[in-house]
């Protein structure tokens, strides 16, 4: 039986690992002075050629660098190196998230972190935040209908909620964790839920829409509740197997 498209067969080759490697390479270049504050990073195409990675990997890596405060992107202009903050980096190695129990432990952290993030996002979101979230949800639905990769837009939606808090530390934590926070990057969540993959992902999509709707209405309590329900549903499906 063929594994679902969202269940990578070879963990070392996951886009997550490539993105993290690119983050580390660019971060080291910035910290060593190879890229100085105020300097413009190479274009996406230039980074793709230099590191031999896809555009998706480059965009995820740049998103993580931006969330960690190392760079700032000006749409239509480029990405620029920021002055160092002097703070220590937070690190959780996604390679350590290998079992159902590991995923459950991470979900406990996410329930606390992301529920509050959703409430703050509802109070502070801008029109630009909403447009980006809407695009991520539309991309998720398009990928779902086509049987393609839903992990990338899934992670992007959660990261965008964190960014909409206007507190960079929420986004920093999410960014460093990366797409490994999505349980189906580590395990076949649909199989564990004893559901057809399409049915399972459609339910995930509806839960995302509930979160987005509450943020759109600026209903902080509803946003917290919707995010808690979404993550708790994942936890309860997996808890039966731990």
């Amino acid at each position: 039986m063929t594994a679902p498209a969202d269940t990578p067969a070879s963990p070392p080759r996951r886009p997550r690992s490539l993105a993290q490697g690119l983050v580390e390479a660019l971060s080291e270049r910035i910290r060593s002075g190879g890229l100085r504050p105020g300097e413009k990073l190479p274009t996406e195409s230039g980074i793709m050629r230099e590191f031999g990675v896809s555009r998706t990997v480059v965009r995820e890596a740049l998103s993580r660098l931006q969330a960690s405060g190392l760079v700032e992107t000006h749409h239509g202009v480029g990405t620029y190196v920021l002055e160092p903050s002097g703070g220590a980096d937070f690190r959780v190695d996604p390679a350590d998230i290998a079992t159902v129990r590991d995923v459950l432990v991470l979900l406990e952290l996410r329930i606390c972190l992301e529920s509050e993030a959703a409430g703050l996002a509802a109070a502070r979101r801008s029109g630009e935040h909403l447009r980006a979230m809407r695009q991520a949800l539309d991309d998720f639905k398009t990928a779902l209908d086509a049987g393609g990769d839903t992990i990338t837009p899934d992670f992007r939606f959660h990261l965008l909620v964190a960014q909409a808090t206007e507190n960079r530390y929420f986004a920093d934590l999410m960014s460093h964790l990366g797409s490994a926070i999505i349980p189906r990057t580590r395990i076949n969540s649909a199989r564990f839920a004893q559901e057809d993959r399409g049915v399972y992902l459609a339910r995930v999509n509806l839960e995302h829409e509930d979160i987005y709707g509450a943020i759109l209405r600026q209903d902080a309590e509803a946003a917290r509740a919707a995010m808690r329900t979404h993550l708790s549903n994942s936890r309860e499906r997996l808890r039966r197997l731990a």
Side-chain angles (χ1 to χ4, degrees):
M1 181 176 178
T2 302
D6 283 341
T7 308
S10 178
R13 296 180 181 274
R14 287 178 181 138
R16 170 194 60 79
S17 299
L18 293 174
Q20 185 59 34
L22 182 54
V23 168
E24 291 170 0
L26 292 175
S27 296
E28 177 57 30
R29 190 171 294 182
I30 291 170
R31 293 192 176 97
S32 67
L35 286 168
R36 298 183 178 183
E39 188 173 346
K40 186 177 180 180
L41 265 65
T43 63
E44 287 184 358
S45 297
I47 296 173
M48 289 165 60
R49 286 193 301 272
E50 179 179 355
F51 291 92
V53 295
S54 70
R55 191 174 302 276
T56 297
V57 169
V58 173
R59 288 181 175 176
E60 181 173 346
L62 292 179
S63 181
R64 294 192 201 182
L65 289 170
Q66 184 173 356
S68 63
L70 288 175
V71 303
E72 183 176 51
T73 297
H74 301 278
H75 294 292
V77 180
T79 299
Y80 294 82
V81 178
L82 294 176
E83 291 285 348
S85 65
D89 286 335
F90 173 80
R91 287 286 185 269
V92 174
D93 186 356
D96 291 338
I97 308 169
T99 68
V100 172
R101 191 171 296 278
D102 293 333
V103 176
L104 281 169
V105 170
L106 183 56
L107 277 168
E108 288 182 355
L109 171 65
R110 291 184 62 200
I111 287 170
C112 298
L113 173 72
E114 294 190 64
S115 296
E116 184 58 27
L120 291 173
R124 300 173 180 174
R125 92 293 185 277
S126 66
E128 184 176 351
H129 290 136
L130 290 173
R131 285 189 291 275
M133 287 182 213
R134 180 70 265 162
Q135 185 62 59
L137 293 180
D138 290 345
D139 290 348
F140 186 108
K141 182 62 164 59
T142 298
L144 173 58
D145 292 342
D149 167 35
T150 58
I151 290 171
T152 299
D154 191 332
F155 172 67
R156 193 163 84 245
F157 174 73
H158 283 272
L159 180 59
L160 286 165
V161 171
Q163 290 173 344
T165 66
E166 293 295 337
N167 179 330
R168 78 175 185 88
Y169 294 106
F170 278 98
D172 192 31
L173 284 167
M174 291 290 292
S175 179
H176 282 302
L177 288 171
S179 59
I181 67 169
I182 308 301
R184 61 186 183 280
T185 64
R186 320 306 296 173
I187 54 179
N188 186 342
S189 304
R191 179 173 62 80
F192 286 156
Q194 298 183 330
E195 291 179 320
D196 172 79
R197 174 180 175 275
V199 172
Y200 168 77
L201 291 176
R203 182 141 55 85
V204 170
N205 190 43
L206 287 175
E207 292 171 1
H208 285 164
E209 290 286 356
D210 288 341
I211 297 165
Y212 173 78
I215 293 173
L216 176 66
R217 298 191 306 272
Q218 294 192 294
D219 187 336
E221 288 307 312
R224 289 187 184 95
M227 182 65 82
R228 180 173 291 275
T229 295
H230 172 51
L231 297 176
S232 295
N233 283 346
S234 293
R235 181 184 62 182
E236 293 311 309
R237 283 190 290 265
L238 296 176
R239 183 173 278 170
R240 295 191 292 269
L241 304 163

